[in-house]
Amino acid sequence: MKKVRIGIIGLGNMGTGHAQYLAKGEVEGAELTAISDPRPERLQWAAETLGDGVQRYEDPEALLTSGSIDGVLICTPHYSHPELAIQAFRNSLHVLIEKPAGVHTRQVREMNEEASRSGLVFGIMYNQRTNPMYRKLREMIRQGELGEIRRLNWIITDWYRSQSYYNSGGWRASWAGEGGGVLINQAPHQLDLWQWTTGMMPKRIRAFCSFGKHRDIEVENEVTAYAEYENGATAVFITSTCETPGTNRFEVTGDRGKIVMEGGRMTFWRNEKSETEFNATYTGGFGQPEYQTVEIPLEPGEGEQHKGITKDWVQAIQSGTPLLAPGEEGIKGLMLSNAMLLSAWTDDWAELPLDEDLFYNLLQERIRTSGGVQS
Amino acid sequence: MKKVRIGIIGLGNMGTGHAQYLAKGEVEGAELTAISDPRPERLQWAAETLGDGVQRYEDPEALLTSGSIDGVLICTPHYSHPELAIQAFRNSLHVLIEKPAGVHTRQVREMNEEASRSGLVFGIMYNQRTNPMYRKLREMIRQGELGEIRRLNWIITDWYRSQSYYNSGGWRASWAGEGGGVLINQAPHQLDLWQWTTGMMPKRIRAFCSFGKHRDIEVENEVTAYAEYENGATAVFITSTCETPGTNRFEVTGDRGKIVMEGGRMTFWRNEKSETEFNATYTGGFGQPEYQTVEIPLEPGEGEQHKGITKDWVQAIQSGTPLLAPGEEGIKGLMLSNAMLLSAWTDDWAELPLDEDLFYNLLQERIRTSGGVQS
């Protein structure tokens, strides 16, 4: 089978990582044939590390129209993901974008529409979907092991970032440069897994954000969000970049028991009767269903992560297999993120689907007065 | 030293328990001399179990004016705690009330004022204050082991109650009978410990309550509350009586580390440098303070619980020692509880100190249409 010729736009932290495993031939069926980056030092790095077999462009458009690639990894700053993806689709290229899908859902919706028209393979780098623990959670929920979901609680506060991290780039943690803070940069993985593992999107969100807490930055770096679902379930999502050592604990409670994921372990408390059945038949006053406590065995490690997503995307291009992380699904986590900011900005509920124009307008106000460097 | 003669008003679950250990002489310096209960079967139980050495009254007022007691344990339904306590103080009796202090802070404030005027010993049955784990937490926070508190998260959802429990009394889980649900009946201990261990009361609360979720009851049985403090700290408090098996996990994050209490264990992640100091001096971009993980050794068990509080109160009467659980402090946990309901009823922030009259009026509206039996 002919190899998929891959280009990479943007040789920052993520793009460099992708270039290295692709250049080493670690993704079967794929070859890295071109990159683009406007920065001379990154192009020099590419020349020295990747060699002249990989074409180099300053300008992404030159790469997209070069005819030297079949698909492209977009690893640029957040704002540009949708625009570059749309250009790529118009050049008949398959696309794999880094997370987040974009900064606001309006631009991401346009990207998704273009992807759909193109019929090309569109993926997003939700590498945490390769983690065996979250895959297992999704499978167990889909198989009904927990029964109807009642409550979710994710404390994901281990995204510690010091002031020196924020100072390392003028675009960092600014409305103009990144369009948000922890919700757009660090927590998009958990915002994706939150809805991907459970298959549920909230109907409304009430969130509380701290902007520049203990840090000299513009954007949110601590968030507590409360969500309500159509079936009556509720959820709390807490994230922070300014506490240490943080926590990563996801608790999912259902009619038939509870699963807690923390410290790489996954524990299932399985009710012998569902809560609904127990409650309907029990006559003893105090009392609750019997349960078993089960440690769920997991494949060791966190899965193939970034490389796994790239492999999956290449396989989809070659064989038409379904994607683990379809690009169109990027809008879901982003909508949760946008809803949290909107709720905090308006000090009110944010209903879903989101009022995209209101979010867009309030974001533009912040960009206009932002001290950050546009990226 | 002369023994303290003790009376008990109300021989329900709690009053009966207190009567038994007092009758067995398990509280040094105290003797049970009288009880009151309007129910013939409870008086019969008292006659058979406690004997004629313990006087029996149908009417609490007769007990309070009998001259046969020096102090009284008030173990009646919630609404009557303040009124009976006030009567007791006016009869120069020391008072130990069951939790909650009352149903709304207005009546509790009157009780506290009367207690203060009387100069008598006023305690509240916050038996969880005897638990070595929570005492240790309070001590560690007061000694500055955690530095400034940044975030609190308490998931206390192991208060499971089936419909058959609620059906066991016409007053249960109704506005007229109890004046609330999980916040007034089950979770008052945690609402007390939340502020007692940390020494902090929020400045405002935004709470989300489900009323009669999966149960045929009037009152709240699932609560998610978000709180903000003067120093910028935030908190989440989640409680429920309709999920099983529940969780009891309290996480306290500070500038110098984190403490998590779950499953009877208390774990301390101690930063080698405070977060503030690390952040001010670190220049490496990614990176976080080194830390040690310490299991905090605890006395086995949960302390002396109810009997411990009664002993402490008797000792305070005899020797003037400070109380572990002063009655006046009951208003704090109750204010948190009232604020959560008020926020949910008004779908808005509840500022603290609370608008007591607004809460009182909204509660009266619910009592007027309540289907519950007044208690």
Side-chain angles (χ1 to χ4, degrees), chain A residues 57-295:
Chain A
Y57 299 91
E58 281 180 44
D59 175 24
E61 197 159 341
L63 169 63
L64 294 173
T65 57
S66 65
S68 61
I69 60 174
D70 304 307
V72 64
L73 268 68
I74 298 174
C75 311
T76 52
H78 319 323
Y79 274 112
S80 59
H81 295 175
E83 187 190 326
L84 289 169
I86 288 169
Q87 282 186 44
F89 292 129
R90 291 182 181 162
N91 283 286
S92 302
L93 298 171
H94 306 289
V95 171
L96 179 58
I97 51 168
E98 264 296 337
K99 58 85 199 167
V103 174
H104 53 83
T105 53
R106 208 167 87 171
Q107 58 169 193
V108 170
R109 192 171 301 285
E110 290 165 17
M111 171 175 70
N112 284 356
E113 285 163 6
E114 192 68 38
S116 169
R117 273 193 293 274
S118 76
L120 294 154
V121 177
F122 177 34
I124 184 166
M125 191 54 74
Y126 279 144
N127 48 290
Q128 285 296 324
R129 289 196 184 186
T130 70
N131 185 319
M133 188 163 72
Y134 300 117
R135 295 173 71 113
K136 184 72 184 173
L137 175 64
R138 175 172 152 94
E139 182 192 316
M140 289 176 71
I141 290 173
R142 286 163 73 99
Q143 288 173 349
E145 293 266 19
L146 277 176
E148 188 182 49
I149 300 297
R150 297 275 187 93
R151 200 172 54 72
L152 308 174
N153 187 282
W154 204 334
I155 305 174
I156 171 68
T157 53
D158 64 354
W159 286 119
Y160 186 73
R161 295 293 183 268
S162 64
Q163 187 66 46
S164 81
Y165 163 84
Y166 290 119
N167 294 348
S168 68
W171 51 276
R172 283 204 191 278
S174 67
W175 297 114
E178 289 202 86
V182 62
L183 290 171
I184 207 76
N185 192 319
Q186 286 83 27
H189 292 296
Q190 285 81 27
L191 290 173
D192 175 56
L193 296 172
W194 190 22
Q195 56 78 28
W196 181 68
T197 56
T198 59
M200 290 162 65
M201 282 287 280
K203 63 175 185 174
R204 62 176 188 163
I205 287 179
R206 186 71 177 83
F208 312 93
C209 299
S210 298
F211 300 92
K213 189 171 205 171
H214 306 294
R215 295 292 182 275
D216 182 21
I217 57 173
E218 294 175 357
V219 296
E220 83 289 352
N221 59 339
E222 186 184 274
V223 177
T224 300
Y226 168 77
E228 291 180 349
Y229 295 81
E230 201 57 52
N231 75 340
T234 66
V236 166
F237 184 90
I238 299 168
T239 191
S240 168
T241 62
C242 59
E243 65 181 62
T244 178
T247 295
N248 183 358
R249 181 182 186 278
F250 189 18
E251 170 173 312
V252 181
T253 305
D255 192 27
R256 297 181 58 189
K258 178 176 75 170
I259 291 176
V260 175
M261 287 145 287
E262 187 174 13
R265 293 171 62 185
M266 184 175 193
T267 311
F268 181 22
W269 287 261
R270 184 202 304 264
N271 290 332
E272 296 200 351
K273 281 184 188 178
S274 74
E275 194 286 312
T276 300
E277 185 190 349
F278 178 86
N279 186 54
T281 55
Y282 184 66
T283 57
F286 288 94
Q288 68 187 89
E290 301 279 315
Y291 60 88
Q292 296 178 310
T293 309
V294 186
E295 285 292 320

Side-chain angles (χ1 to χ4, degrees), chain B residues 19-32:
Chain B
Q20 286 171 319
Y21 65 72
L22 282 166
K24 287 183 197 154
E26 292 179 10
V27 176
E28 199 182 337
E31 60 179 332
L32 181 65

Side-chain angles (χ1 to χ4, degrees), chain A residues 13 148 150-153 155 157-158 160-165 168 172 204 206 208-210 213-215 222 224 226 228 231-236 238 240 242-249 251 253-258 260 262 269-271 275-276 278-279 282-289 291 347-349, chain B residues 13 148 150-153 155 157-158 160-165 168 172 204 206 208-210 213-215 222 224 226 228 231-236 238 240 242-249 251 253-258 260 262 269-271 275-276 278-279 282-289 291 347-349:
Chain A
N13 284 340
E148 188 182 49
R150 297 275 187 93
R151 200 172 54 72
L152 308 174
N153 187 282
I155 305 174
T157 53
D158 64 354
Y160 186 73
R161 295 293 183 268
S162 64
Q163 187 66 46
S164 81
Y165 163 84
S168 68
R172 283 204 191 278
R204 62 176 188 163
R206 186 71 177 83
F208 312 93
C209 299
S210 298
K213 189 171 205 171
H214 306 294
R215 295 292 182 275
E222 186 184 274
T224 300
Y226 168 77
E228 291 180 349
N231 75 340
T234 66
V236 166
I238 299 168
S240 168
C242 59
E243 65 181 62
T244 178
T247 295
N248 183 358
R249 181 182 186 278
E251 170 173 312
T253 305
D255 192 27
R256 297 181 58 189
K258 178 176 75 170
V260 175
E262 187 174 13
W269 287 261
R270 184 202 304 264
N271 290 332
E275 194 286 312
T276 300
F278 178 86
N279 186 54
Y282 184 66
T283 57
F286 288 94
Q288 68 187 89
Y291 60 88
D347 194 14
D348 201 355
W349 290 99
Chain B
N13 283 340
E148 188 181 50
R150 296 274 186 93
R151 201 173 52 72
L152 309 173
N153 187 283
I155 306 174
T157 53
D158 64 353
Y160 186 73
R161 295 291 183 269
S162 64
Q163 187 67 45
S164 82
Y165 163 84
S168 68
R172 283 204 192 276
R204 61 176 188 165
R206 186 71 178 83
F208 312 94
C209 299
S210 298
K213 188 170 205 171
H214 306 293
R215 296 291 182 275
E222 185 183 275
T224 300
Y226 168 76
E228 291 180 348
N231 74 340
T234 67
V236 166
I238 299 168
S240 167
C242 60
E243 65 182 62
T244 181
T247 294
N248 183 359
R249 181 182 186 276
E251 170 173 311
T253 305
D255 192 27
R256 297 181 57 190
K258 177 176 76 170
V260 175
E262 186 173 15
W269 287 260
R270 184 202 303 264
N271 290 331
E275 194 286 310
T276 300
F278 178 86
N279 186 54
Y282 184 67
T283 57
F286 287 95
Q288 69 188 89
Y291 60 87
D347 194 14
D348 201 354
W349 291 98

